[in-house]
Amino acid sequence: MYSACGSAFNILAVRIQTPTLQQIQLLMGGEGSNSFPWIDPDYQRLPSFMKVFHQERFKDDMRLPPEFVAIHGHDLPWDCRLVWPSGVRYMVRIMKLSNGFFFSMGWREFVRATNVVHGDLLTFTLVDVGIFNVKRFDSATHCPPQGDVDVDDAPDVGGIYSPDIETSDDYAPSDSESDTTVDEEYADDSRALSIDELPTFVISLTQANIDRSIEIPYGFWQRHIPMGAIEAGVSMVTERGMWRCTLKHNSKKIWVKHGWTRFKHKHNLVEGVRCHFKLVDALVVQFYVWFDRP
């Protein structure tokens, strides 16, 4: 005997075997007009994909299926909204790289807020430009948890991102602590798409950078980024994922206050490494970073 919940799961999970109306009626236990819930056929035809949530691989970001991106990726904006069954919306930024499209900034906050756990099946249905309806199915029961549809007083959290605060560097760097250049004639990086001709600066790491922190060139920021964005911090994106950093500044300098230690340890950065920071978004400040190692 199929349960109503199990039937809904099968309809969502196996798109290529969508049941007929008669099959749905039988699964729901009868043929009368009141024996099964109404299902919008137009909704069933909307673009969608599934992901089984992996705790480690999807902790910081999640790659969209290449097949989905090949068909629908050109219409996806940078900023998307993930709509939970309760109606709460979460803003998530898509990072478009040559090795795939990823839900990046905001993804970690989405996972935390919805309590998605390892093994959960998530379905993403593209209902409008940049808007995905997301449903979760428990790996053991194959049913959506009842709490997902409960509406609480939580506001729409679109656009709210909390940085990783694991390190602190409360100091004003001196003029000699970093060797920073603005490289306008950089070699295009093969891992990034549609971002050539975007401004880049380069830092040759010194021992002071390794021991303490790094600066973002003040003139670079003035030229390319709104000054008010300093308060929101920056995101550093590499082929390994995305790291959020908070900033501190005075009238002449801007430097990383929180997040640098975690970033340098994850990427095994040492003195002499040249770090290239390519500005891919000046509003929600985001740099694509790659390295030249000695």
Side-chain angles (χ1 to χ4, degrees):
M1 175 69 67
Y2 289 87
S3 67
C5 180
S7 300
F9 172 78
N10 291 334
I11 294 169
L12 284 168
V14 189
R15 291 283 177 172
I16 60 174
Q17 296 179 350
T18 303
T20 65
L21 184 60
Q22 291 76 15
Q23 287 173 322
I24 295 173
Q25 291 173 335
L26 290 174
L27 290 173
M28 297 305 295
E31 298 184 359
S33 60
N34 296 323
S35 61
F36 61 95
W38 182 76
I39 298 174
D40 184 354
D42 291 334
Y43 187 87
Q44 295 296 99
R45 288 191 286 267
L46 291 174
S48 62
F49 65 88
M50 297 182 300
K51 281 283 189 177
V52 177
F53 183 76
H54 191 285
Q55 184 65 41
E56 291 302 318
R57 288 168 50 203
F58 299 158
K59 180 174 61 175
D60 296 315
D61 54 35
M62 190 196 76
R63 186 185 184 192
L64 280 65
E67 296 81 4
F68 180 88
V69 171
I71 300 173
H72 308 290
H74 60 281
D75 291 327
L76 292 177
W78 293 99
D79 289 323
C80 293
R81 288 183 181 268
L82 306 183
V83 185
W84 201 238
S86 62
V88 179
R89 298 184 174 203
Y90 301 87
M91 183 178 289
V92 176
R93 172 148 297 223
I94 288 184
M95 191 63 185
K96 302 178 180 182
L97 306 177
S98 63
N99 63 335
F101 283 21
F102 297 80
F103 287 139
S104 57
M105 182 186 298
W107 173 254
R108 177 181 289 192
E109 289 72 23
F110 167 77
V111 170
R112 288 175 178 170
T114 56
N115 296 314
V116 174
V117 299
H118 185 79
D120 281 350
L121 174 66
L122 302 176
T123 64
F124 298 79
T125 302
L126 187 62
V127 297
D128 204 341
V129 178
I131 299 178
F132 290 86
N133 279 357
V134 185
K135 295 183 180 179
R136 180 244 304 265
F137 297 88
D138 184 271
S139 60
T141 66
H142 293 174
C143 295
Q146 180 60 40
D148 288 358
V149 299
D150 292 340
V151 179
D152 53 28
D153 295 328
D156 188 327
V157 295
I160 300 177
Y161 306 107
S162 58
D164 300 320
I165 300 179
E166 297 185 5
T167 62
S168 178
D169 300 291
D170 289 319
Y171 72 99
S174 67
D175 292 338
S176 61
E177 284 191 350
S178 64
D179 177 14
T180 305
T181 60
V182 176
D183 180 10
E184 299 290 354
E185 299 296 329
Y186 61 86
D188 185 35
D189 182 63
S190 61
R191 291 188 177 89
L193 292 179
S194 301
I195 64 173
D196 44 324
E197 299 183 3
L198 290 182
T200 300
F201 69 88
V202 181
I203 295 179
S204 296
L205 297 181
T206 66
Q207 193 58 49
N209 298 138
I210 301 303
D211 294 340
R212 304 178 80 176
S213 190
I214 59 169
E215 287 181 50
I216 296 177
Y218 199 89
F220 179 94
W221 192 286
Q222 283 184 313
R223 189 179 312 127
H224 302 292
I225 306 171
M227 292 304 294
I230 291 177
E231 302 302 326
V234 302
S235 294
M236 299 182 185
V237 179
T238 72
E239 58 185 3
R240 295 186 179 184
M242 182 182 69
W243 284 260
R244 291 283 289 149
C245 299
T246 60
L247 304 175
K248 196 169 182 177
H249 67 100
N250 56 29
S251 61
K252 296 182 179 179
K253 296 182 182 295
I254 303 170
W255 63 95
V256 175
K257 176 180 173 64
H258 297 294
W260 170 244
T261 297
R262 182 170 178 257
F263 182 83
K264 72 184 179 186
H265 286 164
K266 285 289 185 179
H267 295 87
N268 300 314
L269 299 182
V270 297
E271 183 179 4
V273 172
R274 285 173 59 84
C275 303
H276 301 251
F277 295 81
K278 183 180 296 187
L279 181 64
V280 297
D281 195 305
L283 297 179
V284 181
V285 184
Q286 195 169 71
F287 290 98
Y288 184 75
V289 187
W290 73 98
F291 313 102
D292 294 331
R293 300 182 184 273

